[in-house]
Amino acid sequence: MAKILKNTAVLLAIVLVFSAAILGLNHVASPIIDQNEAARATGALAVVLPGGTTFEALDLTTLSDIPATVTAIHKESADKGYVVELSTTSQYSAGPLTFLMGVDASGNIAGISITNYQESLKMKDEFPAHLVGQNSTLANVDMTLAAGTTFTATAFKNAVADAFAALSANGLVAEAKKSDAQVLKELAPSLFSGLAKNGNLDVTELAVSGNIELALKANSGVGFAYVMKNGESSVLVLVNNGLATKAYGVDGAECTIPEALVQEAVEFTKANLTQVDTAKFSSMMEGATVTAGNMDGVFSTVAGVYDITAGGKNYTGIISKLTGFDAMTVYYILDENGAIAAMDADEFIFLESDFVEYGGFAGLNRKTYKEGFVGMTEDTVADEAILIAKATMTSNAMKTATNDIFAAFKTVKGGA
Amino acid sequence: MSKNECRQVKTGPALLLLLGACPALALSTTALSAVTAGAFLLAVTLLTSVTMALLKGLVAKEIKLAASVLVATGYTVLLRLAVGAWLPDFYYAHGDMVLYLNAIAVSPFVYRQAEHATENGFGKTVAESLLAGVCFLVSIVVVGAVREILGAATVFGKELTFMKDYTIALAQKPFGGFVVLALVAAVANIIRPNKCMDCKKGA
């Protein structure tokens, strides 16, 4: 009994001594640790808002229209600006991409610091770095800096836009006004899908002349977009490879422009047009004669519409150029009723070398896959026939191409 | 080298007995974090052993382990508070590693040394604990360095350009930790000292 009591007393004594020591040290160390924690947090915030000293976290529940990507907003106490904490993901993210973005009192990005990024293929530092100094218009975003990491960079850019949206919606930072040219440029991909790749404008800027303020040539080769002076205002003029045009105002509504402007856009296009190779049609249909067809109203991924005659019958050849995992050109021949008579493609998905390099296509029987399209009409588009196992991006592109060619057929043939 | 000191090297707690494998794996993703963890464990081991040596007459055999746990836990908390307050750069240098430092309080490595301490005098305890702690530190730093080189092509944060194209991300994951620890332990088994006279006499 005495031994048990002694042992208990010894253990109790040890507990008491260490408890007292911990209590004493905690009393001294705790405030210092709190200060260190605060300095550490402030330090991270001050990195993206140089000159910032103390920050106050705003209660997001009291703010309105806060996008889901905005996880916190810190206000610099001397009104030097704000630091926004953001978290976003792209469709191929291994985990959330989180970052801090400082916005100075003038509404310009003062700094960006990535705090968590787990992708195996990371976007280069140049991409976030080149956003510093830009305002809410994000007028000078250069997606070429994100080559190979387009999905992540797009999610990143959208999160940056969300941060500005949250700040301006709550009157914290004034929204910068976009120029008409920028508004029109941003409208272009939604009006002419072939100008975009993965949702971003994918174009080459050409040297301008006359009334053309901005000339963009689709990298896919489906057409052109021009911002043109129309008196006191600016308009967006789209021209496809068939030299058909459409014009839009800053409000996004289709408008009519003087014939002289149309001709100027057409002439500019002729001078910069790259001819689409139609030789594939001959291999798809023996004895086919191919002539350029009407492309009025076709502003999608369709690069060309052709009239084909073979074996005494008339067909319509349509070529779609777009991006799946890589650039693709897909050829379709439709019969007079709008049913696919033949489909083929070159580049990427049907090249033997790609089958070897990309295991995902190893199980794809090319002949069977192509034959799966024959007889398909706009009303019988079958996802299972288009799907390529383990090749989501290419499958999605094939689906887009197929839908676009049916839409083009309907447009040029009047819904036959 | 005395019998017990020889034993510290010969049985290399981290690599041969695999004591303290938890911090060795959790805290050795880089060489620098391994140094931090090793130094922390060395300090806790030394302080716990010295305290247990001083309490030698008071702590009965039955409560030796319980007392060691209380003392080790107490020192771990005290050290963590002190480092957090006065060495913040060191404390925050490795992100979540701070959480794993608590695991040192329940490391069998510390208890083993504390148990020896109750059998030895003060001087011997200090010498043994220092030696065991340094052995652990060296072991974990080697594991950390190997994992950092293989996983990130850097060592102590310095880039090794020739390794850049040959990194194995798995090396810095828990599985990689097991593999590297096993490899380092295998090498240590091959090269460990075996010509210690005292050991030969009966260690």
Side-chain angles (χ1 to χ4, degrees), chain A residues 49-372:
Chain A
L49 189 64
T53 49
T54 53
F55 293 85
E56 174 205 345
L58 303 184
D59 182 359
L60 294 188
T61 60
T62 64
L63 302 176
S64 58
D65 299 326
I66 300 294
T69 49
V70 175
T71 55
I73 299 177
H74 304 268
K75 180 183 186 294
E76 206 282 329
S77 49
D79 288 332
K80 286 181 178 157
Y82 295 85
V83 174
V84 185
E85 288 184 40
L86 295 139
S87 176
T88 187
T89 52
S90 72
Q91 66 188 103
Y92 296 101
S93 293
L97 191 172
T98 62
F99 62 102
L100 299 172
M101 178 179 130
V103 179
D104 64 23
S106 314
N108 297 319
I109 299 175
I112 288 176
S113 168
I114 293 175
T115 48
N116 183 49
Y117 186 21
Q118 299 172 10
E119 306 295 298
S120 52
L121 181 62
K122 294 186 188 298
M123 63 180 171
K124 291 175 185 161
D125 294 339
E126 284 88 338
F127 187 75
H130 96 291
L131 298 173
V132 175
Q134 298 202 35
N135 60 24
S136 64
T137 63
L138 295 176
N140 300 308
V141 174
D142 182 359
M143 290 306 290
T144 61
L145 293 174
T149 56
T150 315
F151 284 97
T152 309
T154 302
F156 190 88
K157 184 191 76 176
N158 292 341
V160 168
D162 286 347
F164 277 119
L167 293 173
S168 59
N170 292 280
L172 305 174
V173 168
E175 191 176 6
K177 195 175 181 318
K178 292 179 180 179
S179 67
D180 285 354
Q182 190 190 349
V183 172
L184 292 168
K185 185 179 173 184
E186 288 177 1
L187 272 174
S190 62
L191 300 169
F192 195 167
S193 60
L195 297 171
K197 180 169 89 173
N198 301 325
N200 293 300
L201 203 58
D202 182 34
V203 292
T204 301
E205 211 169 310
L206 305 175
V208 295
S209 61
N211 289 305
I212 298 175
E213 295 174 303
L214 179 69
L216 307 170
K217 181 178 183 182
N219 288 336
S220 61
V222 301
F224 298 77
Y226 307 107
V227 174
M228 300 182 77
K229 275 183 281 186
N230 180 25
E232 292 300 305
S233 61
S234 295
V235 288
L236 176 70
V237 180
L238 305 177
V239 185
N240 66 20
N241 286 349
L243 302 178
T245 62
K246 262 190 179 183
Y248 295 87
V250 179
D251 58 0
E254 195 172 346
C255 62
T256 308
I257 56 171
E259 187 55 29
L261 280 187
V262 174
Q263 280 311 311
E264 188 178 343
V266 168
E267 291 306 318
F268 192 95
T269 301
K270 280 182 185 170
N272 293 283
L273 192 64
T274 307
Q275 289 302 322
V276 179
D277 186 2
T278 59
K280 192 82 165 182
F281 286 129
S282 302
S283 66
M284 291 166 69
M285 192 165 275
E286 206 175 326
T289 56
V290 182
T291 53
N294 169 30
M295 281 190 77
D296 285 355
V298 179
F299 293 90
S300 58
T301 64
V302 170
V305 177
Y306 305 89
D307 295 323
I308 297 175
T309 53
K313 288 184 177 173
N314 294 322
Y315 297 90
T316 302
I318 306 180
I319 299 174
S320 172
K321 282 176 168 278
L322 71 175
T323 301
F325 185 79
D326 208 338
M328 293 163 56
T329 303
V330 194
Y331 303 81
Y332 298 81
I333 297 177
L334 283 76
D335 64 20
E336 287 176 312
N337 299 316
I340 295 175
M343 186 282 286
D344 205 344
D346 53 25
E347 297 149 21
F348 191 58
I349 69 162
F350 294 110
L351 290 180
E352 199 66 52
S353 58
D354 291 320
F355 276 81
V356 175
E357 190 177 348
Y358 298 96
F361 300 132
L364 180 69
N365 182 315
R366 288 173 287 172
K367 189 171 176 289
T368 311
Y369 182 69
K370 286 188 274 184
E371 286 171 357

Side-chain angles (χ1 to χ4, degrees), chain B residues 57-146:
Chain B
L58 285 171
V59 178
K61 195 182 168 190
E62 296 83 8
I63 60 163
K64 217 193 277 182
L65 182 62
S68 300
V69 171
L70 290 173
V71 173
T73 307
Y75 278 125
T76 301
V77 175
L78 286 170
L79 270 174
R80 212 164 57 77
L81 279 172
V83 172
W86 292 290
L87 293 171
D89 292 343
F90 181 80
Y91 189 75
Y92 293 117
H94 315 294
D96 292 340
M97 200 187 80
V98 170
L99 296 171
Y100 294 107
L101 288 178
N102 293 323
I104 287 170
V106 289
S107 171
F109 178 86
V110 179
Y111 305 149
R112 175 180 181 266
Q113 292 310 123
E115 194 181 331
H116 290 160
T118 56
E119 295 161 5
N120 300 322
F122 183 79
K124 239 179 179 180
T125 298
V126 172
E128 268 192 47
S129 297
L130 267 177
L131 191 59
V134 168
C135 280
F136 181 88
L137 178 63
V138 171
S139 310
I140 194 176
V141 169
V142 170
V143 172
V146 172

